[in-house]
Amino acid sequence: MKVRYSYLPQQFADPEPIFEEIRKLLKTGDFTLGKEVARFEASFAELIGTKYAIGVGSGTDALKIALEAAGVKAGDEVITAANTFIATVGAIHELGARPVFVDATPYYTIDAEKIEAAITPKTKAIMPVHFTGEVADMKPIMEIAKKYNLHVIEDACQSISAAIDGKNAGTIGLAAGFSLHPLKNLNVWGDAGVIVTNSDELNKKARLIRNHGMKNRDEIEIMGRNSRLDTLQAIVGNWLLPQTKFITDTRIANAKKYDDRLSQLKDFVTLAPRRANVRQVYHLYMFEVDPKVRNDLVKFLLDNGVDAKVHYPIPLPLQEGLKQFGHKRGDFPLTERQADRVVSLPVDQHLTNDQIQYALDMVEKFFKNI
Ligand SMILES: *Cc1c(COP(=O)(O)O)cnc(C)c1O
């Protein structure tokens, strides 16, 4: 049996409704921003529960423009998670700001207890990452931000529809960035991203920045750039948004199936604590094993048709491309430990129960034979 990682061919098996909308668009010539983008933004804001949603070119741009609109500039420091995808750090770095890393919790988000020690006079913002579909501990993070007068911009790229203490990921800080990249839970046909915020001021500024700083056709209010949400991608997004509940609920149900059987392999498998106050939406389904067998397990799964992956084998602060930040092994013990131990299994909404049970059979078989 094959348990593939990419489900995109299934997701878009019947593209006719999307093509139909694109045909309609062709007749209007309304190819940049326009009605489809406005419709997408309104539905997305409603889905997340914010006053505004602003469509931009990618998730990275969403984070970057949100930081910029909040006033982060060259020379500032932004505190973020050591355990994240490179794009979080790229967004900070592209503004000329410096990423300051903080180690992870056992549930793969920034450790709020270690944030205060990382604050300096240059700190301007905190960017917690809702990694894997978890939600960072926003309550203590917001308290620290208030105490030191810092902005909080959430990296919610992996966490559409996740929640903590009944609040949706992306609604707690000043603003948040989401990604609609093909690998994310809600995915379009290329790059796209969304900023959400309740702030009138940040909304206004982010809208200006994404469209050359143009107030209208004739007037430039500030320096901006071109990072508009592509209108064709907005059409795909409009088709997909009504499926968010199905996508999220199915991922959560699939994760429960994995949890039920993996939690019986206590001698070999460790699961992150499942926090009762968090709705984890399982962008990634991860578990941890002994680092001595991790790579063998991944190979065994791949050899048996299960597309297991590792997110990620090299802790970000120790990557070659980030050596300018001067980190060494031992700086982020939990992030490093996780990099040696984690395995991800496909968890998407198009998996069948047989595929999930087969993937679990293969994990069990591996541990029976060692
Ligand atoms: C995907 C992702 C991004 C960036 O999204 P793109 O749309 O690929 O630019 C940022 N942060 C995290 C944690 C992500 O997973």
Side-chain angles (χ1 to χ4, degrees):
M1 188 182 294
K2 180 81 191 145
V3 186
R4 80 293 169 276
Y5 208 88
S6 176
Y7 54 91
L8 294 173
Q10 280 166 286
Q11 167 115 320
F12 297 111
D14 175 19
E16 271 316 311
I18 300 173
F19 289 156
E20 189 47 43
E21 291 305 316
I22 294 176
R23 269 184 216 108
K24 280 188 211 154
L25 181 80
L26 285 177
K27 291 192 188 120
T28 70
D30 197 10
F31 295 149
T32 55
L33 296 177
K35 281 199 195 82
E36 290 290 343
V37 171
R39 187 155 81 88
F40 177 80
E41 290 176 337
S43 318
F44 198 86
E46 195 187 329
L47 173 75
I48 304 299
T50 50
K51 198 162 164 192
Y52 303 107
I54 304 117
V56 294
S58 69
T60 310
D61 273 6
L63 300 174
K64 195 167 58 175
I65 293 172
L67 286 169
E68 192 177 341
V72 172
K73 54 186 185 327
D76 291 341
E77 290 179 0
V78 178
I79 292 173
T80 194
N83 193 1
T84 184
F85 177 58
I86 178 60
T88 317
V89 180
I92 297 165
H93 179 71
E94 270 192 82
L95 287 174
R98 183 185 175 87
V100 174
F101 298 108
V102 167
D103 205 4
T105 56
Y107 34 93
Y108 315 114
T109 59
I110 190 168
D111 186 343
E113 285 179 15
K114 298 203 173 112
I115 290 178
E116 248 179 305
I119 295 174
T120 76
K122 290 185 180 169
T123 309
K124 198 66 175 277
I126 305 171
M127 180 167 275
V129 182
H130 304 317
F131 197 52
T132 75
E134 290 276 7
V135 186
D137 292 313
M138 291 306 289
K139 205 166 158 226
I141 292 172
M142 295 309 291
E143 281 163 14
I144 295 164
K146 197 167 169 211
K147 182 168 163 195
Y148 292 90
N149 199 20
L150 306 173
H151 295 306
V152 175
I153 309 290
E154 301 169 60
D155 179 343
C157 287
Q158 301 194 356
S159 281
I160 285 181
S161 284
I164 188 163
D165 299 324
K167 290 181 191 157
N168 281 348
T171 63
I172 306 164
L174 172 64
F178 287 92
S179 169
L180 307 175
H181 181 281
L183 283 173
K184 300 296 152 77
N185 287 16
L186 205 70
N187 37 28
V188 296
W189 291 354
D191 281 305
V194 194
I195 301 163
V196 297
T197 185
N198 287 316
S199 158
D200 298 342
E201 200 188 325
L202 194 135
N203 169 60
K204 183 173 171 252
K205 198 125 186 245
R207 276 179 200 285
L208 285 169
I209 294 170
R210 74 149 179 205
N211 195 20
H212 305 299
M214 287 164 73
K215 191 160 109 185
N216 54 48
R217 189 183 167 282
D218 300 321
E219 289 171 279
I220 316 301
E221 190 165 327
I222 56 172
M223 285 303 291
R225 69 181 86 100
N226 178 356
S227 181
R228 295 180 293 253
L229 170 61
D230 189 279
T231 306
L232 295 186
Q233 303 305 348
I235 289 177
V236 181
N238 282 329
W239 176 82
L240 205 60
L241 268 180
Q243 300 175 39
T244 311
K245 190 176 180 325
F246 161 74
I247 292 170
T248 311
D249 290 350
T250 311
R251 282 175 175 268
I252 292 171
N254 289 346
K256 173 88 173 50
K257 290 178 186 173
Y258 280 132
D259 275 9
D260 284 348
R261 277 180 65 189
L262 289 179
S263 59
Q264 290 167 29
L265 295 174
K266 276 197 186 62
D267 292 343
F268 307 106
V269 170
T270 308
L271 299 177
R274 304 300 185 207
R275 294 169 295 160
N277 63 331
V278 172
R279 179 171 139 97
Q280 137 79 304
V281 295
Y282 298 96
H283 170 61
L284 303 172
Y285 183 87
M286 273 195 200
F287 61 95
E288 294 182 33
V289 298
D290 188 324
K292 289 201 277 298
V293 301
R294 196 270 306 273
N295 292 348
D296 292 341
L297 170 61
V298 171
K299 184 170 182 305
F300 179 83
L301 292 171
L302 292 172
D303 288 348
N304 286 283
V306 179
D307 279 354
K309 289 192 191 295
V310 172
H311 297 90
Y312 298 94
I314 304 173
L316 200 52
L318 302 183
Q319 289 276 5
E320 172 74 18
L322 283 82
K323 64 171 184 251
Q324 58 185 300
F325 302 117
H327 291 296
K328 55 182 189 315
R329 204 155 269 285
D331 286 356
F332 307 104
L334 215 53
T335 300
E336 290 165 32
R337 185 182 148 85
Q338 288 162 357
D340 291 338
R341 294 168 54 94
V342 292
V343 179
S344 309
L345 294 173
V347 67
D348 62 87
Q349 64 275 15
H350 294 285
L351 286 168
T352 63
N353 184 51
D354 285 352
Q355 285 175 306
I356 292 169
Q357 300 307 331
Y358 174 79
L360 285 160
D361 290 345
M362 289 305 115
V363 175
E364 273 176 13
K365 190 169 167 196
F366 175 82
F367 285 114
K368 257 185 206 141
N369 294 335
I370 60 169

